Amino acid sequence: MNIVNLTPHTIVFNDGRSFPASGNIARVQAGFSTIENDVCTQTFGEVQDLPDPQEDVQFIVSAMVLSALAGKRLDVVAPATGHPLCIRNDKGHIVSVPCFVR
């Protein structure tokens, strides 16, 4: 399986494997409703710069892009940044993740 990282950052797994940024970034536009009672609704536009599915290729995207796809693509994953096994530095920044989420 080939893994193509479509985020701007190298993704590092807790076991030391890393997935360098490919130089291409998949993005999605977000829209927001009017704020009412301190709450708004977020909507997503079309995902941009995500290649068509390819045999034996998995694409790493941001959690926002993954959310916008809403399960429509099984070849797309995001770093599991909310997982309790994430490793963080002394400033709380994520150093590595245990896995991807779909």
Side-chain angles (χ1 to χ4, degrees):
M1 172 78 57
N2 293 318
I3 299 176
V4 178
N5 182 353
L6 298 176
T7 76
H9 312 287
T10 295
I11 305 301
V12 179
F13 271 4
N14 293 354
D15 66 9
R17 287 181 288 160
S18 66
F19 307 92
S22 67
N24 298 318
I25 302 171
R27 298 194 183 276
V28 64
Q29 294 293 322
F32 299 90
S33 69
T34 303
I35 300 169
E36 294 181 27
N37 299 320
D38 298 324
V39 178
C40 69
T41 301
Q42 183 177 16
T43 57
F44 296 112
E46 292 294 315
V47 173
Q48 301 169 346
D49 299 319
L50 177 62
D52 290 334
Q54 302 170 29
E55 189 170 334
D56 294 325
V57 176
Q58 189 165 50
F59 296 103
I60 304 170
V61 299
S62 68
M64 191 170 174
V65 169
L66 187 67
S67 291
L69 292 169
K72 295 176 187 171
R73 296 264 309 254
L74 295 179
D75 62 330
V76 177
V77 295
T81 56
H83 197 285
L85 295 178
C86 283
I87 296 175
R88 297 178 180 271
N89 65 17
D90 58 348
K91 293 182 180 179
H93 300 143
I94 294 173
V95 173
S96 64
V97 296
C99 59
F100 296 124
V101 294
R102 177 170 293 126

